[in-house]
Amino acid sequence: MFSSESNIKAAARHLLAGGLVAMPTETVYGLGADALNEEAVSKIYSTKGRPKNHPLIVHVHKDADLDFWAKKIPIHARKLIEAFWPGPLTLVFKKTDIVPDFITGGQDTVAIRSPNHTVAQALLKEFATLKTNSGIVAPSANIFGHVSPTKNEHVLSEFPNQKDLFFLEGDSSEIGIESTILDLSREDIGPVLLRPGHISKKDIQKIIGIYPKDKDESAPVVSGSLKSHYAPKVPIYAEDKLNDQSFLKEIRDKKIAFLQYSNQKKSDIKESKLNIISMPSDAKKYASIIYDVLRNIELQNYDLIIIEKLPQDIEWDGVRDRLSRALAAY
């Protein structure tokens, strides 16, 4: 189901008036506000319970003038934009003086992407007709630290009583995890991967001929970079925890959801109320459903979740990153 043209126009007017809009994207659903309206952006932080020094990503229409936001667009960026935009790739640039500190966490960089979703692009285009050089900051439409939403019902359950929130409907998010974030703001260092995602290091290398470096201490702070994040309300543990005999005793009578992508049975937890939830063995298919699976588990009175150890292949980097941060919450 997709929002109608009249709903999209109404949502754009709501943004212009300083309101919040829940918008579908191909990665996860976002909680959107006018990127240049400080009062509106403040509502995002208060609604989500998000730390105000945690920067936001600016979403722009595919035909937007990036020079309004970014001080310099390097040649690598031009190639990546041509290859992957609209799409699940966020690029970090040195910001222009116009870009306010309240969306960058006070940093001299700005993160930008153009989402590959019909509704999101239509909203961005409509908003641009109302406000020149507009952008929408849109972190995930959930309470800060919780599992990100990938369906309409996820957002509705997250904010059931939020009167200022305009809902735009869309189908389930195709990608299922947040965008890849690549830093291009430091010419002396070169491309640096700040957050893995659907677009891998190999994908980036194919386009620009350079393999991105790993995140370093001087890298800009970006969305989703805190140690603990993306966590379900049900305690979640790594498979390695099963090597702890005291833990096995503790969970003997617990109702457990075991997320398993392989065919290997877990006989060492057979005495518990174990339910094996079959997950795809393909990394991108796994990513596309993981948040929905975690949210469904929350609704089924499970006592805990155990995650089968994931492959170390580069294609799994995005999923491993999200689940490692979820595990850190417990």
Side-chain angles (χ1 to χ4, degrees):
M1 181 183 295
F2 287 91
S3 296
S4 65
E5 183 179 351
S6 61
N7 281 341
I8 289 170
K9 288 181 179 294
R13 292 193 298 270
H14 191 67
L15 285 172
L16 188 65
L20 303 182
V21 173
M23 54 185 278
T25 81
E26 82 282 21
T27 55
V28 301
Y29 275 66
L31 186 65
D34 179 353
L36 301 178
N37 183 328
E38 184 171 7
E39 184 177 347
V41 173
S42 181
K43 291 178 184 177
I44 284 183
Y45 286 110
S46 60
T47 300
K48 283 178 59 68
R50 182 186 177 99
K52 287 198 172 184
N53 62 350
H54 205 52
L56 300 166
I57 295 172
V58 179
H59 295 65
V60 298
H61 186 260
K62 61 185 179 66
D63 297 325
D65 178 12
L66 293 185
D67 291 323
F68 176 83
W69 304 94
K71 189 170 290 186
K72 183 178 181 181
I73 312 293
I75 187 64
H76 292 325
R78 301 290 184 189
K79 293 179 180 179
L80 290 167
I81 287 169
E82 183 177 353
F84 297 121
W85 278 19
L89 177 65
T90 295
L91 300 176
V92 177
F93 305 105
K94 289 293 185 185
K95 74 179 187 70
T96 63
D97 293 339
I98 297 170
V99 178
D101 287 343
F102 58 77
I103 64 172
T104 67
Q107 301 178 111
D108 65 352
T109 54
V110 62
I112 307 174
R113 94 173 182 100
S114 185
N116 186 22
H117 193 285
T118 303
V119 173
Q121 283 292 319
L123 176 62
L124 288 160
K125 184 176 182 179
E126 181 64 28
F127 190 40
T129 66
L130 302 178
K131 186 170 184 175
T132 305
N133 290 321
S134 62
I136 300 174
V137 285
S140 55
N142 60 324
I143 300 300
F144 187 72
H146 190 210
V147 179
S148 299
T150 56
K151 292 183 175 180
N152 292 309
E153 54 263 37
H154 296 167
V155 184
L156 291 167
S157 65
E158 203 81 6
F159 305 112
N161 301 311
Q162 187 65 32
K163 296 179 180 179
D164 186 47
L165 184 55
F166 192 107
F167 286 87
L168 283 178
E169 294 185 346
D171 290 336
S172 298
S173 298
E174 179 183 0
I175 304 300
I177 60 173
E178 299 77 7
S179 62
T180 301
I181 302 181
L182 186 71
D183 178 29
L184 296 175
S185 68
R186 298 173 293 166
E187 291 185 81
D188 55 330
I189 294 178
V192 176
L193 187 71
L194 302 184
R195 182 175 71 184
H198 183 82
I199 295 172
S200 71
K201 286 183 175 181
K202 286 183 180 178
D203 295 329
I204 293 168
Q205 182 188 35
K206 288 178 182 178
I207 301 302
I208 62 175
I210 297 174
Y211 199 76
K213 295 183 176 70
D214 291 327
K215 185 178 178 181
D216 56 283
E217 291 184 359
S218 61
V221 176
V222 292
S223 293
S225 58
L226 297 180
K227 182 179 179 181
S228 175
H229 213 44
Y230 313 114
K233 296 174 183 177
V234 178
I236 183 170
Y237 300 96
E239 182 182 11
D240 292 347
K241 190 74 172 174
L242 298 178
N243 297 323
D244 183 342
Q245 292 302 313
S246 62
F247 179 73
L248 286 176
K249 289 180 180 179
E250 290 176 13
I251 68 173
R252 183 169 294 167
D253 297 319
K254 302 292 186 181
K255 183 180 178 182
I256 302 171
F258 190 95
L259 272 58
Q260 178 177 283
Y261 72 91
S262 71
N263 294 320
Q264 182 180 355
K265 300 295 182 184
K266 301 300 167 186
S267 58
D268 43 0
I269 53 175
K270 63 184 178 182
E271 295 180 46
S272 64
K273 300 172 184 176
L274 174 67
N275 182 26
I276 293 179
I277 298 177
S278 296
M279 299 292 290
S281 58
D282 175 84
K284 291 183 176 179
K285 290 180 180 178
Y286 191 113
S288 71
I289 66 170
I290 182 58
Y291 288 161
D292 186 42
V293 168
L294 292 177
R295 282 179 173 269
N296 284 333
I297 289 172
E298 290 180 338
L299 301 175
Q300 296 176 42
N301 299 315
Y302 280 96
D303 295 306
L304 69 149
I305 304 166
I306 296 178
I307 304 290
E308 182 180 20
K309 187 175 182 179
L310 298 176
Q312 292 300 306
D313 300 351
I314 196 168
E315 290 80 9
W316 288 86
D317 283 355
V319 177
R320 284 202 315 274
D321 173 80
R322 305 311 188 274
L323 288 178
S324 69
R325 297 179 195 279
L327 291 166
Y330 298 97

Short mmCIF file of all heavy atoms in Angstrom, two decimals, residues 187-208:
data_model
loop_
_atom_site.label_atom_id
_atom_site.label_comp_id
_atom_site.label_asym_id
_atom_site.label_seq_id
_atom_site.Cartn_x
_atom_site.Cartn_y
_atom_site.Cartn_z
N GLU A 187 40.03 14.45 2.62
CA GLU A 187 40.77 14.13 1.40
C GLU A 187 42.11 13.45 1.69
O GLU A 187 42.58 12.62 0.92
CB GLU A 187 41.02 15.40 0.58
CG GLU A 187 39.76 16.00 -0.02
CD GLU A 187 40.07 17.18 -0.91
OE1 GLU A 187 40.46 16.94 -2.08
OE2 GLU A 187 39.94 18.33 -0.46
N ASP A 188 42.73 13.82 2.81
CA ASP A 188 44.05 13.26 3.13
C ASP A 188 43.97 11.79 3.55
O ASP A 188 44.96 11.05 3.45
CB ASP A 188 44.72 14.07 4.25
CG ASP A 188 43.85 14.17 5.50
OD1 ASP A 188 42.63 14.16 5.36
OD2 ASP A 188 44.42 14.27 6.60
N ILE A 189 42.79 11.35 3.98
CA ILE A 189 42.62 9.97 4.43
C ILE A 189 41.94 9.11 3.38
O ILE A 189 42.24 7.94 3.21
CB ILE A 189 41.82 9.94 5.75
CG1 ILE A 189 42.64 10.61 6.86
CG2 ILE A 189 41.45 8.51 6.15
CD1 ILE A 189 41.94 10.67 8.19
N GLY A 190 41.02 9.71 2.64
CA GLY A 190 40.29 8.98 1.62
C GLY A 190 39.00 8.39 2.15
O GLY A 190 38.61 8.65 3.30
N PRO A 191 38.30 7.58 1.36
CA PRO A 191 37.01 7.03 1.77
C PRO A 191 37.14 6.13 3.00
O PRO A 191 38.01 5.26 3.06
CB PRO A 191 36.58 6.22 0.55
CG PRO A 191 37.36 6.77 -0.60
CD PRO A 191 38.66 7.19 -0.02
N VAL A 192 36.25 6.36 3.97
CA VAL A 192 36.25 5.57 5.21
C VAL A 192 34.82 5.08 5.47
O VAL A 192 33.88 5.87 5.48
CB VAL A 192 36.75 6.39 6.41
CG1 VAL A 192 36.64 5.58 7.70
CG2 VAL A 192 38.18 6.87 6.18
N LEU A 193 34.68 3.78 5.70
CA LEU A 193 33.37 3.22 5.99
C LEU A 193 33.04 3.46 7.46
O LEU A 193 33.73 2.97 8.35
CB LEU A 193 33.34 1.72 5.70
CG LEU A 193 31.97 1.06 5.81
CD1 LEU A 193 31.09 1.49 4.64
CD2 LEU A 193 32.09 -0.45 5.84
N LEU A 194 31.96 4.21 7.71
CA LEU A 194 31.56 4.53 9.07
C LEU A 194 30.45 3.62 9.58
O LEU A 194 30.31 3.42 10.78
CB LEU A 194 31.11 5.99 9.16
CG LEU A 194 32.13 7.05 8.72
CD1 LEU A 194 31.57 8.44 8.96
CD2 LEU A 194 33.45 6.86 9.45
N ARG A 195 29.63 3.10 8.67
CA ARG A 195 28.59 2.15 9.05
C ARG A 195 28.35 1.21 7.88
O ARG A 195 28.01 1.66 6.78
CB ARG A 195 27.29 2.86 9.43
CG ARG A 195 26.18 1.91 9.89
CD ARG A 195 24.94 2.66 10.37
NE ARG A 195 24.19 3.29 9.30
CZ ARG A 195 23.12 4.06 9.49
NH1 ARG A 195 22.69 4.29 10.71
NH2 ARG A 195 22.49 4.60 8.46
N PRO A 196 28.52 -0.11 8.06
CA PRO A 196 28.26 -1.04 6.96
C PRO A 196 26.77 -1.17 6.72
O PRO A 196 25.95 -0.89 7.59
CB PRO A 196 28.86 -2.35 7.47
CG PRO A 196 28.78 -2.25 8.97
CD PRO A 196 28.97 -0.79 9.28
N GLY A 197 26.43 -1.61 5.53
CA GLY A 197 25.02 -1.78 5.18
C GLY A 197 24.86 -2.61 3.93
O GLY A 197 25.72 -3.43 3.59
N HIS A 198 23.77 -2.40 3.24
CA HIS A 198 23.44 -3.16 2.03
C HIS A 198 24.52 -3.01 0.96
O HIS A 198 24.85 -3.97 0.26
CB HIS A 198 22.09 -2.66 1.50
CG HIS A 198 21.57 -3.40 0.31
ND1 HIS A 198 20.91 -4.59 0.41
CD2 HIS A 198 21.61 -3.10 -1.02
CE1 HIS A 198 20.56 -5.01 -0.80
NE2 HIS A 198 20.97 -4.12 -1.68
N ILE A 199 25.06 -1.81 0.82
CA ILE A 199 26.15 -1.56 -0.13
C ILE A 199 27.46 -1.83 0.60
O ILE A 199 27.80 -1.16 1.59
CB ILE A 199 26.10 -0.13 -0.67
CG1 ILE A 199 24.81 0.05 -1.49
CG2 ILE A 199 27.32 0.20 -1.51
CD1 ILE A 199 24.55 1.48 -1.92
N SER A 200 28.21 -2.81 0.14
CA SER A 200 29.41 -3.28 0.83
C SER A 200 30.67 -2.54 0.38
O SER A 200 30.66 -1.77 -0.58
CB SER A 200 29.59 -4.78 0.59
OG SER A 200 29.99 -5.01 -0.76
N LYS A 201 31.76 -2.82 1.08
CA LYS A 201 33.06 -2.26 0.69
C LYS A 201 33.42 -2.68 -0.73
O LYS A 201 33.98 -1.90 -1.50
CB LYS A 201 34.15 -2.73 1.66
CG LYS A 201 34.14 -2.06 3.02
CD LYS A 201 35.31 -2.55 3.84
CE LYS A 201 35.41 -1.83 5.17
NZ LYS A 201 36.57 -2.30 5.97
N LYS A 202 33.11 -3.93 -1.06
CA LYS A 202 33.40 -4.42 -2.41
C LYS A 202 32.60 -3.66 -3.46
O LYS A 202 33.12 -3.34 -4.54
CB LYS A 202 33.10 -5.92 -2.50
CG LYS A 202 34.11 -6.81 -1.81
CD LYS A 202 33.75 -8.28 -2.02
CE LYS A 202 34.74 -9.20 -1.33
NZ LYS A 202 34.36 -10.63 -1.51
N ASP A 203 31.34 -3.38 -3.15
CA ASP A 203 30.49 -2.62 -4.08
C ASP A 203 31.08 -1.23 -4.32
O ASP A 203 31.08 -0.74 -5.46
CB ASP A 203 29.08 -2.47 -3.50
CG ASP A 203 28.36 -3.80 -3.37
OD1 ASP A 203 28.62 -4.70 -4.18
OD2 ASP A 203 27.53 -3.93 -2.44
N ILE A 204 31.56 -0.62 -3.25
CA ILE A 204 32.15 0.72 -3.36
C ILE A 204 33.45 0.67 -4.16
O ILE A 204 33.70 1.51 -5.03
CB ILE A 204 32.39 1.30 -1.95
CG1 ILE A 204 31.04 1.57 -1.27
CG2 ILE A 204 33.23 2.58 -2.02
CD1 ILE A 204 31.14 1.87 0.21
N GLN A 205 34.26 -0.33 -3.90
CA GLN A 205 35.54 -0.47 -4.61
C GLN A 205 35.33 -0.63 -6.12
O GLN A 205 36.10 -0.08 -6.92
CB GLN A 205 36.31 -1.67 -4.07
CG GLN A 205 37.68 -1.87 -4.72
CD GLN A 205 38.33 -3.18 -4.30
OE1 GLN A 205 37.64 -4.18 -4.11
NE2 GLN A 205 39.65 -3.18 -4.15
N LYS A 206 34.29 -1.34 -6.48
CA LYS A 206 34.02 -1.55 -7.90
C LYS A 206 33.75 -0.24 -8.63
O LYS A 206 34.05 -0.11 -9.82
CB LYS A 206 32.82 -2.48 -8.08
CG LYS A 206 33.10 -3.94 -7.73
CD LYS A 206 31.84 -4.78 -7.89
CE LYS A 206 32.09 -6.23 -7.50
NZ LYS A 206 30.86 -7.06 -7.60
N ILE A 207 33.22 0.74 -7.92
CA ILE A 207 32.85 2.01 -8.54
C ILE A 207 34.00 3.00 -8.54
O ILE A 207 34.25 3.69 -9.54
CB ILE A 207 31.62 2.62 -7.83
CG1 ILE A 207 30.43 1.66 -7.91
CG2 ILE A 207 31.27 3.97 -8.44
CD1 ILE A 207 30.02 1.28 -9.32
N ILE A 208 34.73 3.11 -7.43
CA ILE A 208 35.76 4.15 -7.32
C ILE A 208 37.18 3.61 -7.38
O ILE A 208 38.14 4.38 -7.40
CB ILE A 208 35.58 4.99 -6.04
CG1 ILE A 208 35.74 4.13 -4.79
CG2 ILE A 208 34.22 5.68 -6.06
CD1 ILE A 208 35.69 4.93 -3.49
#
